[in-house]
Amino acid sequence: MRDNQLSAKRDRGMTLPELLVSITVLGLIVTVLATSITVTLRQTDNTEGRLNVARSEQTIGSWIPADLASASTVVTDPSAGPCGGSCPAGISEGGSNTMLLSWTKKRPVSGSMVDVDTAVSYRYVQDDTGEWLLRRIECITVDGGAPTCSDYIVLHDLQAPPGEFIAGVTSPDWVIIVSEPLKACAVDELDTCDDELADANSDFVKDAQRVVVTVNGGGDGSGNGGGINQISITAGGTRRSTIDATSITGTPTFTEARSRCGGPIAIIVDSSGSIGNTNMVTVKNAVKGFIQTFAGTPTSIMVVDFDSSSRVVGTSAWTRYFDMTDEAEVSALLTEVNKSSVLTAGGGTNWEDGWYRTFYNADGTLQDVLPERVVFFTDGIPTYDRQNQRAD
């Protein structure tokens, strides 16, 4: 009897309902895991495709915008080449030109200035393995000599031609399309919005170009699918012209240009005795360097000198701004600052009188011309104010 009881106690296990519940839960877990693995495997191509597209965007962004910004001419003829028919050994133009960008600059060589011509061609080519590539061939010619060229693969795994492709004849517009940029008010290629500024000025693009590059990351869909995507770049705007050396009317001036920079600037300089003559020389050189930096720009500068009271450099009047677009004005201000009697260390420190003179008239009314920026030189706290010392 006792043996049977012991056997019953040892014979423990799962009941049938528990077994059924366990099988059901296990089935759910396996189903979820299988679904997750399936989804992950299905998304692998898309994830890799998005990475490929992002990599292509970075590569294109490293080359094309800078080339477009430098270019003075853009040629889309598929037969055009950067070497001028005399490519050096190891450089083969091949394929079709998608865009040829060129520009010229001056460079000193052996004491004289020579022309340095740069030509960059983005070419659609097929390599020996059958892969379609976008190659960048750059050729630099110094003073009409033989070109020095370099070759770089910008993009791999481009779309194969949709039909018959003849190198140098077929324009690969399924890879790169070059066009004028959209108007500022347009939202897409079909938008012909009414931009009054652009319509009034036929040169509104100023040689800028819009380049649309088609890449294929290998995914199963465009956009987030990581497949075929279009990358749009607008850059350029370079327009060069030659001004005759003897011309006195053709030289552009800053005052003729529309600019958001510039405006009146006030330099308030502490010349109190605590600065000392040695340090005052450093301050004076800093003020002159500041003026020279802004020479030729659409700014005007007033230098306010203060110790126990304030004064304006270069005039006995209450205020005086010097026009930095006028060479004579720049020279006059530098001459005044350079005088031995100007900006010399001595007296107390009256910040208030220096700042007051910068913004207010002698009668306390606000000045007609107010500085947009103020540069303030000082070495310590005030020892005077306008209650006990002021400029009249």
Side-chain angles (χ1 to χ4, degrees):
M1 180 71 177
R2 182 174 296 175
D3 292 339
N4 290 336
Q5 289 177 347
L6 291 174
S7 298
K9 289 180 180 180
R10 294 193 193 100
D11 190 17
R12 293 178 179 180
M14 296 179 64
T15 63
L16 181 58
E18 291 173 334
L19 180 61
L20 292 175
V21 169
S22 299
I23 293 173
T24 302
V25 171
L26 181 61
L28 290 173
I29 293 173
V30 170
T31 300
V32 170
L33 288 175
T35 302
S36 300
I37 293 172
T38 301
V39 171
T40 301
L41 292 175
R42 286 179 177 177
Q43 292 298 318
T44 299
D45 290 343
N46 293 347
T47 301
E48 185 177 352
R50 288 193 291 270
L51 289 174
N52 291 336
V53 171
R55 190 179 299 112
S56 298
E57 289 178 347
Q58 291 177 345
T59 304
I60 292 171
S62 299
W63 294 102
I64 294 181
D67 289 337
L68 283 174
S70 301
S72 57
T73 61
V74 181
V75 177
T76 57
D77 185 345
S79 64
C83 306
S86 56
C87 292
I91 301 294
S92 174
E93 291 179 342
S96 285
N97 170 64
T98 62
M99 60 177 176
L100 174 64
L101 313 173
S102 59
W103 61 92
T104 300
K105 63 181 180 180
K106 297 285 188 179
R107 190 176 75 182
V109 175
S110 301
S112 61
M113 300 298 292
V114 300
D115 288 333
V116 179
D117 300 315
T118 302
V120 176
S121 176
Y122 287 85
R123 310 190 69 80
Y124 177 73
V125 301
Q126 187 178 31
D127 67 6
D128 295 337
T129 66
E131 180 185 11
W132 291 95
L133 312 169
L134 183 67
R135 292 170 52 208
R136 177 186 183 273
I137 298 180
E138 178 184 46
C139 293
I140 299 177
T141 304
V142 179
D143 201 22
T148 301
C149 301
S150 60
D151 189 354
Y152 180 80
I153 298 177
V154 177
L155 294 176
H156 289 270
D157 299 317
L158 293 177
Q159 285 182 274
E164 183 182 11
F165 176 77
I166 302 175
V169 176
T170 306
S171 181
D173 53 10
W174 59 90
V175 176
I176 287 185
I177 299 175
V178 182
S179 62
E180 288 187 349
L182 302 177
K183 292 183 179 180
C185 58
V187 296
D188 55 38
E189 291 82 353
L190 301 178
D191 190 352
T192 57
C193 63
D194 182 19
D195 188 331
E196 294 182 1
L197 179 62
D199 293 338
N201 181 7
S202 60
D203 294 333
F204 79 98
V205 296
K206 295 183 180 178
D207 293 341
Q209 299 291 331
R210 180 169 183 253
V211 179
V212 178
V213 183
T214 302
V215 298
N216 187 356
D220 59 9
S222 59
N224 292 332
I228 297 176
N229 283 263
Q230 289 188 328
I231 304 167
S232 179
I233 299 171
T234 298
T238 303
R239 174 156 295 180
R240 298 176 175 88
S241 61
T242 301
I243 300 174
D244 191 275
T246 61
S247 172
I248 60 174
T249 60
T251 306
T253 66
F254 282 102
T255 56
E256 293 172 348
R258 295 176 61 189
S259 175
R260 293 183 179 179
C261 65
I265 298 175
I267 306 176
I268 307 176
V269 185
D270 182 351
S271 60
S272 59
S274 60
I275 292 180
N277 290 327
T278 301
N279 291 331
M280 203 65 231
V281 172
T282 302
V283 173
K284 180 178 286 195
N285 288 334
V287 172
K288 290 189 293 185
F290 191 92
I291 295 169
Q292 290 167 338
T293 298
F294 280 88
T297 67
T299 58
S300 56
I301 293 178
M302 177 174 67
V303 180
V304 178
D305 171 23
F306 73 91
D307 40 47
S308 299
S309 59
S310 66
R311 65 207 63 85
V312 173
V313 173
T315 183
S316 58
W318 183 260
T319 61
R320 170 75 159 88
Y321 281 94
F322 289 79
D323 185 357
M324 293 294 101
T325 63
D326 187 333
E327 290 185 12
E329 292 262 291
V330 175
S331 179
L333 180 56
L334 288 172
T335 299
E336 291 294 329
V337 172
N338 205 42
K339 288 180 177 179
S340 59
S341 59
V342 174
L343 297 178
T344 59
T349 304
N350 193 345
W351 288 9
E352 185 181 1
D353 204 48
W355 283 91
Y356 183 92
R357 182 184 283 267
T358 303
F359 288 92
Y360 294 94
N361 296 308
D363 61 2
T365 59
L366 202 64
Q367 290 188 23
D368 293 333
V369 178
L370 296 175
E372 295 183 3
R373 293 170 181 81
V374 175
V375 180
F376 184 49
F377 290 83
T378 189
D379 74 331
I381 61 175
T383 58
Y384 284 80
D385 57 38
R386 284 182 55 80
Q387 292 297 321
N388 52 40
Q389 187 79 24
R390 69 179 66 181
D392 296 324

